[in-house]
């Protein structure tokens, strides 16, 4: 298609206005003289309807993209939030709980499971006095790479190269380094040493931090394993690792189709990948290869880069190949890189995954790169379809879509109805942000609205949202769905909290306590899981109070000691001195105002129990 | 007296000018937002294939031919497959301020559908809509046709009650 310039991206330049030939008309409408008399009015009508429909479709598409950007931005913000937990807090946490109450084998397991550990190491990175270590938030593994400063071992040079390979700001290693040396598996003494050094603001250099990192980013998966396998969870995790380490990095179908997880870079060489000993790579983030027999370790940087690139790269529309800074590994590759790769290896197509797509699949690079993503409802129920591919012997591809929940996957729903469902969950995500930052938002609104009219301009309102929530969403587009706007274009800012209300089983504690707990739900959960040695979901009253007090040290104006004390008392529902924290965390939820009336008391907790 | 009348007049003119300026600023924000949603790399460019959707999402109803004229105006001398915002904005602003390609009213849309319903049976069959939409005018692609059918065809009767369909098309105005 297209008779425009050679660039295949160019749209069809010729507007084909079809007027059927007399012959075809006579066949179809031979009984209808009216249309034969005036083809032009039929054509005009058709054009008008087509224009209308195309505009309708475009408006829906714009709404869909808008919703998508909300999901993505909130996901990204969530990742950044994790990076913000402060160093001192983590030190205190480890000191307080890990050192005193948990034995070492548990520490190791906690290291695997708790994202705070990632923050812990990230915090250390902040403290590490490596010159020129330029740490940017959001660039996760490149900042990890910064601390991969090796000490007193034989492969110093190679590791230095490694650091340079993963971070554009090369790191100068201080050879006079005196701090603790960390090796895997980490020992209790090393942890102690580390924490000491850390709290005394000493220099710290660590090796193989990537191991921890790789565990912590798989938090969701591990959480599921823990909840299902309880005490055997660590064994099961090890087995998963082992199995995964034998999965192929890439597959070639009939010498024509290259299948891998991420994609390629301009360096990707299939022959090279083919000879890699796959089992050496337990995780893509663990580049070092341990050869225990002669006690020598070796890192093959070229090899590692090859592995990273096929697993972590993403296609982009712009030509060229550049490092993927957001993911901290892999590359962005352009259509030219794809073209060169395919012709070099005589392939026809790259099939990859690694990015969520609205329809479950998407072609890029002039149909030479096919992304397929099989987790439907990834961001929320209805957010995206999952897809799988069927390939026949002629290499014709059929993309089959599905949704795991039949309510949303029902084909009978029109595009508009589906849109409604997805939009609703995106708006819910926003509402959750509003309610967890309600006090800060209200303060910000009121600071502008000095005359207490309850109204501010749209621009002011958006500025407040961006300041407090740090989310650059298409606010202007979605404003009508989240806030009341007066006829003269002013925002009635109180109304953005009206659609939902934050409820908890602890009603008598008042909105402030509820909001604070809701906002810090994830941090509290992290602490609870550390304390909960046997994954029973139960912690003692003291432990509960200690956790909240810790958070109080860390978070400005979290809760007063008295509040915490009262809260703890009130949630020991059966007075046995233990708290089921899963239930406790579930007790905070956002409820739409309509539902609220039907379901006043939550979790069967009536007011007199509170 | 005459001077104060003149002063009043010029005040009114100034007000109108401010109002125009405000309107312009408001439209500009809308144009920018619509473009940004499709600017995936955040570098103030969009894929030329998405320009049609952006223009139409701004409530314009150009025909394919008119759309191509607009794109030609926005494109670089050597088409790159991308459209830059700086080129997009002036063309789009002009179209909106001049109220070009304004969608026809709902009544006209209804009349157009009535024209296709040559037997005045108050509905269109799937064969009819397929024929008119793919063989007349600026023909639908197969995808467009399927999408229209998925929303328009009555599940039970297998025909299009176009009065209902029109109300669906205009619902998000």
């Amino acid at each position: 298609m297209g008779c425009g310039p050679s660039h295949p991206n160019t749209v069809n330049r010729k507007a084909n206005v079809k007027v059927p030939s007399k012959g075809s008309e006579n066949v179809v409408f031979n009984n209808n003289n009216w249309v034969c008399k005036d083809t032009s009015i039929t054509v005009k009508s058709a054009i008008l309807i087509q224009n209308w429909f195309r505009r309708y479709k475009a408006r829906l598409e714009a709404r869909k993209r808008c919703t998508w950007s909300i999901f993505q931005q909130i996901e990204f913000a969530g990742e950044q939030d994790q990076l913000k937990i402060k160093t001192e807090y983590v030190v205190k946490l480890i000191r307080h709980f890990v050192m005193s109450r948990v034995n070492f084998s548990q520490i190791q397991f906690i290291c695997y499971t708790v994202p705070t550990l990632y923050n812990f190491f990230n915090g250390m990175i902040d403290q590490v006095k490596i010159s020129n270590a330029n740490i940017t938030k959001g660039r996760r593994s490149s900042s990890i790479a910064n601390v991969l400063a090796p000490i007193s071992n034989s492969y110093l040079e190679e590791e230095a190269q490694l650091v340079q390979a993963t971070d554009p700001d090369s790191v100068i290693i201080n050879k006079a380094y005196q701090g603790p040396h960390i090796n895997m598996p980490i020992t209790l003494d090393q942890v102690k040493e580390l924490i000491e050094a850390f709290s005394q603001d000493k220099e710290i250099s660590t090796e193989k931090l990537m191991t921890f990192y790789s565990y912590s980013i798989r938090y969701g998966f591990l959480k599921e394993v823990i909840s299902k396998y309880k005490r055997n969870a660590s064994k099961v995790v090890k087995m998963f690792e082992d199995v995964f380490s034998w999965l192929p990095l890439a597959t070639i179908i009939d010498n024509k189709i290259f299948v891998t997880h991420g994609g390629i870079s301009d360096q990707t060489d299939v022959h090279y990948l083919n000879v890699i000993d796959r089992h050496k790579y337990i995780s893509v983030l663990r580049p070092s290869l341990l050869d225990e027999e002669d006690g020598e370790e070796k890192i093959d940087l070229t090899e590692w880069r090859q592995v990273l690139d096929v697993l972590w790269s993403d296609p982009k529309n712009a030509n060229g190949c550049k490092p993927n800074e957001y993911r901290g590994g892999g590359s962005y590759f352009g259509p030219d890189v794809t073209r060169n790769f395919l012709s070099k290896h005589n392939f026809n197509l790259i099939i990859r995954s690694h990015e969520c797509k609205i329809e479950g699949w998407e072609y890029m690079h002039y149909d030479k790169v096919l992304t397929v993503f099989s987790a439907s409802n990834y961001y929320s129920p209805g957010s995206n379809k999952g897809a799988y591919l069927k390939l026949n012997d002629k290499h014709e591809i059929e993309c089959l879509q599905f949704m795991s929940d039949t309510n949303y996957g029902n084909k009978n729903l029109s595009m508009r109805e589906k849109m409604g469902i997805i939009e609703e969950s995106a708006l819910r995500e926003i509402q959750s942000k509003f309610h967890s930052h309600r006090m800060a938002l209200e303060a910000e609104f009121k600071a502008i609205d000095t005359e207490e009219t309850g109204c501010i301009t749209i621009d002011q309102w958006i500025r407040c949202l961006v300041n407090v929530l740090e989310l650059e969403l298409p606010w202007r587009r979605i404003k009508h769905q989240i806030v009341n706007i007066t006829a003269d274009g002013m925002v009635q800012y109180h109304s953005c909290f009206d659609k939902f209300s934050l409820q908890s089983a602890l009603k008598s504690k008042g909105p402030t306590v509820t909001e604070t707990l809701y906002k810090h739900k994830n941090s509290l959960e992290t602490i609870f899981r550390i304390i909960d040695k046997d994954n029973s979901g139960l912690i003692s009253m003291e432990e509960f109070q200690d956790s909240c007090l810790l958070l109080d040290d860390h978070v400005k104006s979290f809760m007063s000691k008295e509040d915490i004390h009262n809260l703890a008392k009130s949630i020991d529902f059966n007075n046995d001195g233990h708290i089921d924290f899963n239930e406790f965390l579930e007790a905070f939820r956002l409820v739409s105002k309509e539902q609220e009336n039907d379901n006043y008391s939550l979790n069967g907790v009536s007011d007199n129990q509170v | 007296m005459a001077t104060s009348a003149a002063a009043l007049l010029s005040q009114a003119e100034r007000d109108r000018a401010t109002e125009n300026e405000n309107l312009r600023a408001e439209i500009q924000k809308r144009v920018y937002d619509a473009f940004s949603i499709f600017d995936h790399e955040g570098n103030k460019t969009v894929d030329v294939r998405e320009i049609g959707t952006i223009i139409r999402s701004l409530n314009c109803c150009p025909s394919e031919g008119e759309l191509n004229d607009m794109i030609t105006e926005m494109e670089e001398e050597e088409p790159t497959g991308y459209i830059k915002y700086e080129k997009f904005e002036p063309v789009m602003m002009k179209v909106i301020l001049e109220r070009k390609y304004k969608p026809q009213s709902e009544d006209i849309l209804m009349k157009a559908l009535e024209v296709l319903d040559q037997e005045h049976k108050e509905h269109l069959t799937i064969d009819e809509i397929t024929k008119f939409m793919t063989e007349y005018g600026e023909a639908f692609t197969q995808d467009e046709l399927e999408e229209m059918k998925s929303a328009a065809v009555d599940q039970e009767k297998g025909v299009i009650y176009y009065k209902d369909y029109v109300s669906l098309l205009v619902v998000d105005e």
Side-chain angles (χ1 to χ4, degrees), chain A residues 480-500:
Chain A
H480 290 288
Q481 285 152 289
I482 47 182
V483 75
N484 292 343
I485 294 172
T486 62
D488 55 349
M490 298 295 278
V491 173
Q492 292 175 318
Y493 54 84
H494 291 297
S495 63
C496 63
F497 305 108
D498 283 354
K499 283 200 177 144
F500 287 84

Side-chain angles (χ1 to χ4, degrees), chain A residues 9 18 55 65 317 459, chain B residues 29 49-50 59 82 137-138:
Chain A
N9 258 2
K18 287 194 182 177
R55 183 190 62 129
R65 299 295 180 91
N317 284 323
D459 284 336
Chain B
K29 279 176 196 156
R49 287 170 298 185
E50 302 200 290
N59 215 10
Y82 291 90
E138 295 177 325

Side-chain angles (χ1 to χ4, degrees), chain A residues 144-161:
Chain A
I144 292 284
N146 282 340
V147 285
L148 264 188
I151 345 92
S152 62
N153 61 45
S154 56
Y155 51 90
L156 187 106
E157 262 184 36
E158 272 177 274
E159 283 229 4
Q161 281 173 23

